[in-house]
Amino acid sequence: MRRMDGFQKTLLVFMTLLAIFMAMPIVYIFNHAFKPYHELFAYPPTFWVRTPTLDNWFDLIAAAQQSFVPFTRYLFNSIVVAVCMVAATVLISSMSAYPLSKHRFKGKKLLFSAIVLSLMFAPEAVGIPRYLVISKLGLMNHFLGHIVPSLAMPVGVFLMKQFMDQVPDDLIEAAKLDGAREFTIFARIVMPVCMPAVATIAILTFQATWGDAGPSALYMQDETLKTLPFYIDSLTNGLANAVAGQGRAAMATMLMFLVNFIIFLTLQKKVIDTMAHSGIK
């Protein structure tokens, strides 16, 4: 602190206040999960919990035990879908980005421009085409219906290409002269450089998949094929008195968020490295 000038100290104070402000929603989620009913519906609403309680946790467990489908089944489906989605998205994004970065072919620039352009489309804009594709493929009420609609991840291809551009072409040519095959170059030379981008894509994919109840609601009629986000949404939806489910919904929301929070804290350095290098050659 003594070596900082006035501007650096002011900037440090400003960034600290900004960090505290951005952390407030996270603190609120944890506080909200432990509020009793009279605090959940207090007016004006309170930020800090005054009398923390575990009643919401016990209420959530009781609701899960009374469910027709066990809570563990929803959790199992979510874990399997998230793991498959992360692995498939990383593989597809990296293998798509490799020829765009290190090979020459007609229409390469046009194809990459189309991928970048697709970043502008909101998921709602392709909702109906996705539904029609899944229906035509016969994946309605099939476990692959959770995975296939979201395999294409344009931001993943973009990030991987930007990292692969940093690998010198001379290094790849030297590897080819030494007899290395295309897959060996991809796996042993190119991919190790792209590990920060791989971690970032994995986080983005996991977050999008873990909290997405859309496929369960749109493509699944069998209750045993639905995921945890759909079950959490159903805790209050369709009840005659939605007030009774607010406590367990708050606790379930915190548990869903906690998984994403832990994964992001574990891999945050990789994310920062990705954002620092994705636009720099």
Side-chain angles (χ1 to χ4, degrees):
M1 291 291 292
R2 294 180 179 178
R3 296 180 180 179
M4 292 184 178
D5 56 24
F7 174 77
Q8 290 176 325
K9 291 180 179 179
T10 303
L11 183 61
L12 178 61
V13 172
F14 174 75
M15 295 301 294
T16 302
L17 294 175
L18 183 61
I20 294 174
F21 177 76
M22 295 181 67
M24 288 176 64
I26 300 175
V27 177
Y28 180 79
I29 289 175
F30 285 95
N31 274 271
H32 197 65
F34 294 98
K35 287 181 179 179
Y37 279 103
H38 67 274
E39 291 189 33
L40 285 171
F41 299 98
Y43 185 82
T46 58
F47 185 85
W48 297 101
V49 56
R50 297 174 182 173
T51 54
T53 179
L54 292 176
D55 290 346
N56 295 334
W57 169 252
F58 296 126
D59 192 16
L60 177 62
I61 294 177
Q65 292 175 345
Q66 296 173 2
S67 176
F68 175 75
V69 177
F71 175 83
T72 52
R73 178 64 185 184
Y74 294 108
L75 180 61
F76 173 78
N77 291 342
S78 289
I79 293 175
V80 171
V81 170
V83 171
C84 292
M85 277 297 303
V86 169
T89 303
V90 169
L91 181 63
I92 292 174
S93 297
S94 58
M95 294 188 70
S96 301
Y98 179 67
L100 289 172
S101 176
K102 298 303 176 185
H103 286 263
R104 296 180 180 178
F105 55 89
K106 292 183 179 180
K108 171 181 172 180
K109 293 184 178 180
L110 179 62
L111 179 60
F112 183 66
S113 298
I115 293 174
V116 175
L117 182 64
S118 65
L119 294 172
M120 300 174 58
F121 292 93
E124 293 78 10
V126 294
I128 294 178
R130 278 183 177 177
Y131 182 87
L132 294 176
V133 170
I134 295 300
S135 178
K136 294 295 183 181
L137 290 176
L139 298 180
M140 299 291 291
N141 214 34
H142 193 284
F143 207 82
L144 288 176
H146 289 289
I147 300 172
V148 173
S150 303
L151 282 180
M153 189 177 183
V155 67
V157 178
F158 174 79
L159 291 177
M160 292 297 295
K161 180 185 180 301
Q162 296 301 97
F163 262 80
M164 290 180 181
D165 287 345
Q166 301 177 50
V167 180
D169 293 337
D170 295 339
L171 181 61
I172 295 179
E173 293 297 329
K176 290 181 178 179
L177 291 176
D178 289 339
R181 295 184 177 181
E182 202 71 51
F183 182 78
T184 303
I185 296 173
F186 171 75
R188 296 189 177 183
I189 298 177
V190 177
M191 285 304 295
V193 180
C194 303
M195 291 313 295
V198 170
T200 303
I201 295 170
I203 290 176
L204 295 176
T205 304
F206 183 86
Q207 289 178 335
T209 305
W210 185 254
D212 187 12
S216 295
L218 294 175
Y219 314 132
M220 306 296 155
Q221 289 77 44
D222 187 351
E223 195 71 22
T224 60
L225 294 177
K226 296 180 180 181
T227 56
L228 189 58
F230 179 85
Y231 171 73
I232 292 176
D233 288 345
S234 66
L235 289 177
T236 55
N237 294 340
L239 295 177
N241 183 11
V243 174
Q246 290 302 319
R248 68 177 79 123
M251 179 60 69
T253 301
M254 187 203 70
L255 295 177
M256 289 287 294
F257 169 77
L258 189 60
V259 177
N260 280 328
F261 188 61
I262 293 174
I263 292 177
F264 180 79
L265 289 180
T266 304
L267 301 175
Q268 63 174 330
K269 186 178 183 301
K270 298 293 185 181
V271 177
I272 295 173
D273 291 342
T274 303
M275 299 310 168
H277 293 90
S278 61
I280 303 175
K281 291 186 180 180

